[in-house]
Amino acid sequence: MNQDLDDFRDLARTFCEKEIKPNVDRYIANKQVDRDLWNKAGDVGLLCLSIPEEYGGGGGTFAHEAILIEEQARATDSSWGVSLHNGIVAHYILSYGTEEQKHHWLPKMASGEVVGAIAMTEPGTGSDLQNVKTRAIREGDEYVVNGSKIFITNGTQADVVITVVKTDPEQAASGISLVLVPTDTPGFSHGKVLDKIGMKGQDTAELNFSDVRIPVTNLLGSEEGQGFIQLMEQLPQERLLVAVANVAAMEMCFDETLRYVHERHAFNRPIWSFQNTKFKMAEIATEARVARSFLDECIGLHLDKQLDIPTVAMVKLWCSERAQKVADKCLQLHGGYGYMNEYPIARAWADLRVSQIYAGTSEIMKEIIARSLPTPA
């Protein structure tokens, strides 16, 4: 941390406390955040934080992205898909876009005029990205896109969707490409917002592509067939973003529960006075501290461009699994109120479950880690 990051945390905390926390219940009821939240965030400089200033971004680093995620969690919100917009979609365009693509999309994403999404998963294809069915077949100077996607964050509010397609259906990984699909293109349609266990304020939706015609210049990368490599290069940052959110959620759960056990009484004394409560809180504090230390190490490695794929798989696996356990312990200490959705701990308990699934399941993380282990001599 330094003065710049401390000042930025103050900005992010003020914004989240003022613009997000009072509206969490409405986001959940509407299954999406208010559209003007994006514009307000753009106005104060909270979008595209780690994108260079020449493209309208904040010129910051991943540390700025992590702080915003932490402050969003502190405000007990999981509805705003800003980490995907900032840390994932914008970086695909920055890394693989042409200068024309970068100058066209990134300033609009930084202002909030454009909301970004990325469409990987399909109804019949989850972790197995090599076998996506969505096609982008070239006809002259256009691609014709057909297919469907599911579980898409920012699915209804997105103005541009980075879409994983097969430009060569006969190939596996080498047939995959990424294309930019503006959502006002004829043939594109938003499906229903999905009814999830948690993250109920996040507009996770289905997307449909029916003879969607886009210019071949909407391809990300210098040539077709680079999509799988691009996905593998960007997934580590996505997994680190999940770990950041997990640790921030653990710390929020701890703070909410510590407050609750001091205020709530049972048998004519505070819940805190029972040894079981103190021991459970000691366990939770330790779990959160260990996860924070590992996460901070990984953020440091990432800032130095030294974070490798097995290590980010470890931090994603560890933080997602431990966060769920911490939330469960915190819910138990809330008693019956922990099961009520009006309490942040109940929402966090449900929200965190998906962390072991998206951005690569825990099983995929274990496979990646196992492959990196040395063979005994």
Side-chain angles (χ1 to χ4, degrees):
M1 295 296 292
N2 54 42
Q3 190 61 49
D4 171 64
L5 292 174
D6 286 339
D7 292 342
F8 177 73
R9 185 179 293 281
D10 290 340
L11 170 65
R13 180 168 297 180
T14 299
F15 182 87
C16 291
E17 288 288 330
K18 178 184 177 183
E19 301 293 346
I20 296 179
K21 192 168 186 175
N23 301 313
V24 167
D25 289 341
R26 186 173 72 254
Y27 298 160
I28 293 170
N30 294 339
K31 295 186 176 181
Q32 62 181 30
V33 300
D34 299 338
R35 180 59 182 81
D36 67 358
L37 177 64
W38 295 97
N39 304 101
K40 291 177 180 179
D43 288 343
V44 299
L46 291 179
L47 299 182
C48 296
L49 296 166
S50 52
I51 297 299
E53 293 179 2
E54 66 180 296
Y55 301 119
T61 69
F62 185 86
H64 293 84
E65 306 288 3
I67 288 171
L68 179 56
I69 294 170
E70 290 170 359
E71 294 307 317
Q72 181 185 0
R74 188 175 180 273
T76 71
D77 177 64
S78 63
S79 301
W80 190 27
V82 69
S83 63
L84 179 127
H85 176 93
N86 278 2
I88 299 173
V89 179
H91 278 269
Y92 273 95
I93 296 173
L94 177 67
S95 298
Y96 310 116
T98 63
E99 286 300 310
E100 182 179 356
Q101 289 170 340
K102 287 185 279 192
H103 281 289
H104 178 78
W105 292 111
L106 292 176
K108 294 178 181 179
M109 291 181 66
S111 70
E113 178 184 349
V114 164
V115 175
I118 184 165
M120 301 183 197
T121 306
E122 297 180 355
T125 305
S127 300
D128 187 11
L129 288 174
Q130 297 186 48
N131 288 312
V132 296
K133 304 302 181 186
T134 301
R135 305 287 191 253
I137 304 304
R138 183 165 182 168
E139 292 185 4
D141 293 332
E142 293 180 322
Y143 288 118
V144 182
V145 184
N146 282 283
S148 60
K149 299 290 183 177
I150 198 168
F151 309 142
I152 308 306
T153 301
N154 297 339
T156 60
Q157 293 190 333
D159 301 288
V160 64
V161 180
I162 297 174
T163 307
V164 180
V165 298
K166 279 287 185 70
T167 44
D168 185 348
E170 302 302 317
Q171 301 297 320
S174 60
I176 291 176
S177 300
L178 306 183
V179 294
L180 293 163
V181 179
T183 59
D184 59 359
T185 308
F188 175 89
S189 62
H190 302 278
K192 65 180 180 180
V193 177
L194 301 168
D195 185 15
K196 308 181 296 297
I197 292 174
M199 291 191 169
K200 289 184 174 291
Q202 167 56 243
D203 58 329
T204 309
E206 298 172 336
L207 305 179
N208 299 300
F209 306 80
S210 180
D211 290 334
V212 175
R213 291 184 173 270
I214 57 172
V216 294
T217 53
N218 283 23
L219 178 73
L220 276 181
S222 58
E223 60 185 33
E224 294 178 1
Q226 298 178 334
F228 192 78
I229 294 173
Q230 294 165 345
L231 290 166
M232 294 304 102
E233 289 174 345
Q234 294 298 317
L235 274 172
Q237 176 152 308
E238 181 176 354
R239 288 166 180 160
L240 188 58
L241 287 166
V242 173
V244 172
N246 290 157
V247 173
M250 292 169 73
E251 293 168 345
M252 182 276 289
C253 288
F254 174 83
D255 291 341
E256 289 287 326
T257 306
L258 187 64
R259 185 182 306 112
Y260 182 85
V261 298
H262 275 86
E263 294 174 352
R264 183 75 176 173
H265 286 65
F267 303 99
N268 299 315
R269 56 183 173 137
I271 295 174
W272 173 252
S273 67
F274 294 95
Q275 185 183 64
N276 178 71
T277 303
K278 293 177 180 178
F279 280 12
K280 289 296 181 183
M281 292 303 295
E283 292 172 6
I284 293 164
T286 304
E287 295 272 19
R289 179 73 176 272
V290 171
R292 166 60 67 183
S293 296
F294 187 18
L295 174 66
D296 285 350
E297 177 191 354
C298 290
I299 291 175
L301 290 170
H302 189 52
L303 291 171
D304 291 337
K305 302 185 186 306
Q306 294 180 7
L307 182 62
D308 58 49
I309 290 173
T311 302
V312 80
M314 289 178 182
V315 76
K316 198 269 185 185
L317 172 68
W318 180 262
C319 293
S320 62
E321 298 277 342
R322 305 319 291 184
Q324 189 71 59
K325 289 181 172 63
V326 162
D328 197 67
K329 291 178 182 179
C330 290
L331 188 152
Q332 186 72 18
L333 288 170
H334 277 72
Y337 289 104
Y339 205 63
M340 300 296 107
N341 277 323
E342 65 190 88
Y343 280 77
I345 195 66
R347 298 197 298 268
W349 181 80
D351 291 345
L352 283 166
R353 185 59 183 85
V354 76
S355 296
Q356 299 164 56
I357 298 172
Y358 65 13
T361 64
S362 291
E363 291 74 21
I364 294 293
M365 297 304 98
K366 292 173 185 177
E367 181 68 24
I368 291 169
I369 296 163
R371 289 176 182 174
S372 72
L373 302 179
T375 302

